């Protein structure tokens, strides 16, 4: 017990000294520098696989969790027996939990219809959230060279210049480029090669993109010998930190919810909830509001999950930056919890929306 | 949209991936588990029904057994009763037989006694007659016909017995 406490204190002190706080006092040897954070998923390769399509790191993470889920389920049901064992037991427990929940919300008959979607949503979200905090996610990747990065920035500037010229305005191209580069900082990696791991080191090891550009223009090299500058583009990034993923799940969920609504209530009854001429103008506006709320559901689904998981990733990165070694530990636990809760919320809301969509308003009111 | 990272290729890729997962999980996970759970619940229901049936059956057989025991008990009691009655009758018969036996024995004894007594009386009477004849011969000193004499005495004795009796 005392040993553990001492070890914890040593780790804490080393972490604090090596982290971003210690960096201000001349230490800071362990800090993982704040990576280049962006909302959009990073493209893993420099080239497009198909015109307009490049594989992103969230896609790879999505496929990884899909493959893992399928493998686990395959082994769970490969030798399915009446007396359950091991994985089968686990999946049956989850299955029964959800079917009981669904039956309590939607009744026995509809529960069986809704269950596959609800469970798929839960399993996929929880799997990708939990895989997203594994080591290797967001830390191993391709090194995007400064030239490549600046080239992309220049392309964007050219576009803006063209637009400005069409309007007849004159712009300072260099100033635009500087603002486009912003406060992007290149990390430095040891050795050659295009694959890198998030480096340890001080914040002061990083090189500002603007400085790099100026140095290049003056023919100088500010990158130390034997090192290369660049931006790490991780191969894997938690699937739900991409709006496309969460939007895709939300769209599938809401499309199926309304499909069930149409199938159960009939086309015109279900449509009549949203476009209602029969009961006067007030009900017409109520219908319009209902329609808007359906769109709002998609948006809230999308951004609730995305926001929670993205914020979690940022939190983990920030803690690794501030207190390396152990600062991240309690937040890993928190992220496990958040990942589970978000998966549960998404699936439960799908279930509730589905059971609400398959009940006609007339039956609800009376 | 661009700043958020929403783009059509990415969205379509994720949609397709999720739908593929949905379909495959349906085939690999939900179908077998649903089937298994249904199968199991059917089996449980079946065994519960069977247990119920067996319970009923055992209750019935217990009742039957009780009935049989009761029947045997009454039968046994009847048999005991019968035996008792028979024994009673047997005893009474035996006693009656013994009683009649004793009666006949006693009658026989009585008749024997009477006969003995009559014989004794007869003997005595004969002795007495002879004695009287002898005595009378001596008294009369006259020889009389012995047979006529005896007749005379018999006649006297007869008269005396009649007169006495």
């Amino acid at each position: 017990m005392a040993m553990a406490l001492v070890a914890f204190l040593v780790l804490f002190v080393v972490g604090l000294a090596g982290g971003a706080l210690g960096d201000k006092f001349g230490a800071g040897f362990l800090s993982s520098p704040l990576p280049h954070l962006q909302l959009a998923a990073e493209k893993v390769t420099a080239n497009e696989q198909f015109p307009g399509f490049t594989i992103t790191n969230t896609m790879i993470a999505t496929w990884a969790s899909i493959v893992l889920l399928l493998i686990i389920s395959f082994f769970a049901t490969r030798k399915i027996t009446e007396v359950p064992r091991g994985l089968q037991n686990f999946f049956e427990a989850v299955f029964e939990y959800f079917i009981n929940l669904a039956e309590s919300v939607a009744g026995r008959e509809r529960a069986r219809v809704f269950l596959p979607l609800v469970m798929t949503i839960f399993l996929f979200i929880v799997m990708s959230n939990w895989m997203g905090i594994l080591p290797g996610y967001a830390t191993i990747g391709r090194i995007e060279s400064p030239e490549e990065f600046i080239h992309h920035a220049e392309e964007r500037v050219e576009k803006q210049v063209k637009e400005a010229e069409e309007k007849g305005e004159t712009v300072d191209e260099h100033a635009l480029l500087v603002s486009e580069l912003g406060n992007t900082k290149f990390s430095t990696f040891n050795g050659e090669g295009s694959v890198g791991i998030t480096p340890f080191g001080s914040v002061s090891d990083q090189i500002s993109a603007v400085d790099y550009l100026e140095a290049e223009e003056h023919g100088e090299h500010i990158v130390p010998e034997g090192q290369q500058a660049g931006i790490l583009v991780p191969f894997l990034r938690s699937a739900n930190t991409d709006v496309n993923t969460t939007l895709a799940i939300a769209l599938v969920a809401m499309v199926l919810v309304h499909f069930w609504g149409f199938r159960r209530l009939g086309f015109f009854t279900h449509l009549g909830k949203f476009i209602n001429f029969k009961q006067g103008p007030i009900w017409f506006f109520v219908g319009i509001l209902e329609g808007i709320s359906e769109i709002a559901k998609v948006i809230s689904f999308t951004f609730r999950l995305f926001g929670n998981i993205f914020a979690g990733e940022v939190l983990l990165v920030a803690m690794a930056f501030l207190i390396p070694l152990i600062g991240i530990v309690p937040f890993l636990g928190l992220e496990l919890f958040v990942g589970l809760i978000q998966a549960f919320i998404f699936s439960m809301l799908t279930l509730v929306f589905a059971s609400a969509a398959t009940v006609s308003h007339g039956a609800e009111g009376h | 949209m661009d700043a958020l990272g929403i783009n059509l290729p990415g969205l379509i890729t994720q949609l397709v991936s999720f739908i593929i997962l949905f379909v495959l999980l349906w085939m690999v996970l939900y179908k077998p588990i649903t089937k298994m759970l249904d199968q199991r619940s059917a089996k449980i229901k079946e065994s519960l029904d069977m247990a119920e049936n067996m319970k009923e059956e055992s209750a019935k057989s217990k009742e039957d057994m009780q009935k049989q025991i009761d029947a045997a008990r009454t039968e046994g009691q009847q048999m005991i009763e019968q035996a008792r009655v028979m024994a009673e009758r047997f005893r009474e018969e035996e006693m009656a037989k013994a009683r009649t036996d004793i009666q006949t024995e006693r009658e026989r004894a009585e008749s024997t006694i009477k006969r003995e007594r009559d014989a004794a009386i007869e003997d005595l009477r004969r002795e007495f007659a002879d004695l009287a004849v002898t005595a009378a011969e001596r008294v009369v000193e006259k020889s009389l016909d012995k047979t006529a004499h005896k007749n005379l005495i018999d006649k006297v004795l007869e008269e005396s017995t009649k007169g006495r009796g």
Side-chain angles (χ1 to χ4, degrees):
Chain A
M1 191 63 208
M3 282 287 289
L5 199 67
V6 169
F8 173 78
L9 278 175
V10 168
L11 278 175
F12 187 74
V13 169
V14 171
L16 207 58
L21 291 174
D23 194 62
K24 289 287 167 208
F25 303 101
F29 44 86
L30 270 177
S31 185
S32 84
L34 265 183
H36 176 72
L37 289 170
Q38 65 178 60
L39 289 176
E42 292 91 351
K43 292 174 166 58
V44 171
T45 57
N47 312 317
E48 296 176 334
Q49 273 75 36
F50 302 104
F53 176 83
T54 317
I55 293 178
T56 64
N57 45 17
T58 50
M59 287 178 196
I60 298 177
T62 305
W63 296 331
S65 45
I66 286 174
V67 167
L68 193 61
L69 254 185
L70 286 175
I71 289 173
I72 294 175
S73 351
F74 174 74
F75 280 107
T77 57
R78 187 180 48 159
K79 284 188 231 154
I80 196 158
T81 49
E82 287 215 351
V83 181
R85 266 188 316 166
L87 270 178
Q88 189 195 340
N89 219 338
F90 171 74
F91 272 103
E92 275 188 18
V94 175
F95 197 87
E96 292 223 35
Y97 177 76
F98 272 97
I99 205 161
N100 287 339
L101 207 66
E103 278 178 8
S104 70
V105 172
R108 206 178 156 67
E109 184 198 343
R110 280 184 294 162
R112 282 290 171 95
V113 179
F114 300 157
L115 193 73
L117 177 69
V118 171
M119 258 193 85
T120 307
I121 288 174
F122 177 79
L123 289 176
F124 173 71
I125 293 177
V126 83
M127 180 59 89
S128 44
N129 286 352
W130 283 1
M131 279 174 81
I133 60 173
L134 287 175
Y137 274 71
T139 48
I140 301 171
R142 182 174 69 90
I143 299 168
E144 188 178 7
S145 67
E147 287 76 25
E148 200 183 325
F149 186 80
I150 290 169
H151 178 69
H152 285 309
E154 279 171 346
E155 275 179 355
R156 288 198 294 273
V157 168
E158 266 173 38
K159 217 168 155 189
Q160 285 175 332
V161 169
K162 216 178 263 175
E163 279 172 14
E165 275 173 358
E166 278 169 12
K167 288 179 192 164
E169 295 166 19
T170 50
V171 283
D172 182 357
E173 214 168 299
H174 190 263
L176 263 179
L177 184 58
V178 168
S179 83
E180 196 55 50
L181 292 174
N183 45 17
T184 305
K185 283 177 178 166
F186 298 129
S187 301
T188 50
F189 302 90
N190 288 321
E192 304 277 312
S194 60
V195 175
I197 301 176
T198 305
F200 281 133
S202 165
V203 178
S204 52
D205 292 345
Q206 290 183 312
I207 298 161
S208 158
V210 179
D211 290 350
Y212 185 91
L213 186 67
E214 273 175 16
E216 287 291 306
E217 278 167 359
H218 294 101
E220 293 164 19
H221 289 285
I222 57 170
V223 182
E225 254 336 282
Q227 291 191 323
Q228 56 169 328
I231 289 173
L232 188 77
V233 182
F235 290 135
L236 291 163
R237 172 174 150 177
S238 185
N240 292 319
T241 59
D242 184 358
V243 187
N244 291 316
T245 319
T246 57
L247 183 60
I249 306 172
L251 283 177
V252 171
M254 288 318 285
V255 165
L256 266 178
V257 161
H258 286 286
F259 168 72
W260 288 325
F262 281 124
R263 199 176 60 174
R264 196 174 172 85
L265 301 178
F267 185 78
F268 289 105
T269 319
H270 189 63
L271 197 68
K273 287 181 189 172
F274 309 110
I275 302 169
N276 189 345
F277 293 114
K278 287 177 190 162
Q279 288 158 294
I282 291 175
W283 282 100
F284 178 75
F285 280 108
V286 168
I288 297 289
L289 286 179
E290 291 262 2
I292 292 170
S293 89
E294 293 305 308
I295 295 164
K297 277 175 190 170
V298 175
I299 295 170
S300 78
F301 259 152
T302 307
F303 286 99
R304 182 186 304 110
L305 181 57
F306 165 74
N308 271 285
I309 305 307
F310 190 82
E313 290 285 305
V314 173
L315 178 64
L316 292 182
V317 164
M319 287 321 292
F321 172 66
L322 285 174
I323 312 171
L325 303 182
I326 61 164
I328 201 172
V329 173
F331 297 100
L332 284 177
L334 180 74
E335 283 315 303
L336 280 179
F337 180 68
V338 169
L340 181 69
I341 288 297
Q342 287 304 320
F344 187 70
I345 289 174
F346 207 119
S347 51
M348 269 312 288
L349 282 177
T350 307
L351 177 63
V352 171
F353 291 159
S355 63
T358 46
V359 173
S360 70
H361 273 198
E364 251 174 37
H366 302 293
Chain B
M1 292 300 235
D2 220 30
L4 278 174
I6 300 178
N7 52 56
L8 205 58
L11 181 61
I12 290 170
T13 312
Q14 297 289 2
L15 268 175
V16 170
S17 307
F18 187 75
I19 290 167
I20 288 173
L21 175 71
F22 184 34
V23 172
L24 287 182
L25 273 186
W26 198 322
M27 293 193 319
V28 175
L29 195 63
Y30 309 135
K31 246 194 196 162
I33 288 189
T34 313
K35 209 175 114 192
M36 183 49 58
L37 287 181
D38 284 349
Q39 220 172 2
R40 192 179 304 147
S41 70
K43 201 167 179 182
I44 289 171
K45 195 168 171 288
E46 195 180 299
S47 28
L48 278 179
D49 284 353
M50 214 157 81
E52 191 67 28
N53 281 352
M54 270 162 93
K55 215 165 113 186
E56 263 172 35
E57 227 162 80
S58 91
K60 221 170 80 180
S61 66
K62 204 171 151 190
E63 209 173 284
D64 278 0
M65 212 162 72
Q66 192 59 44
K67 256 185 210 164
Q68 274 180 352
I69 288 172
D70 285 352
R73 189 174 288 149
T74 49
E75 203 177 329
Q77 259 164 0
Q78 269 174 1
M79 269 160 87
I80 289 170
E81 186 67 23
Q82 225 170 11
R84 212 172 55 83
V85 168
M86 246 157 80
E88 187 76 15
R89 212 165 56 204
F90 183 73
R91 196 173 62 102
E92 270 171 17
E93 270 172 16
E94 282 301 302
M95 249 155 94
K97 213 170 115 192
R99 209 174 280 134
T100 49
D101 278 1
I102 288 167
Q103 190 69 28
T104 50
E105 201 64 28
R106 205 178 66 191
E107 275 169 7
R108 209 171 54 218
E110 267 174 5
S111 70
T112 309
I113 288 167
K114 202 178 165 199
R115 214 168 45 235
E116 290 291 321
R117 197 194 61 185
D118 286 352
I121 288 172
E122 191 68 23
D123 281 351
L124 205 57
R125 187 191 288 161
R126 202 171 297 129
E127 283 297 312
F128 190 68
D130 284 344
L131 202 60
V133 168
T134 320
E137 273 175 3
R138 289 237 182 113
V139 170
V140 179
E141 302 262 351
K142 193 175 116 184
S143 174
L144 274 179
D145 182 26
K146 212 178 178 177
T147 316
H149 211 137
K150 204 177 177 184
N151 283 344
L152 183 71
I153 286 163
D154 273 345
K155 203 174 159 191
V156 172
L157 274 176
E158 201 85 31
E159 277 165 8
S160 70
T161 319
K162 261 181 197 165
R164 231 184 18 221

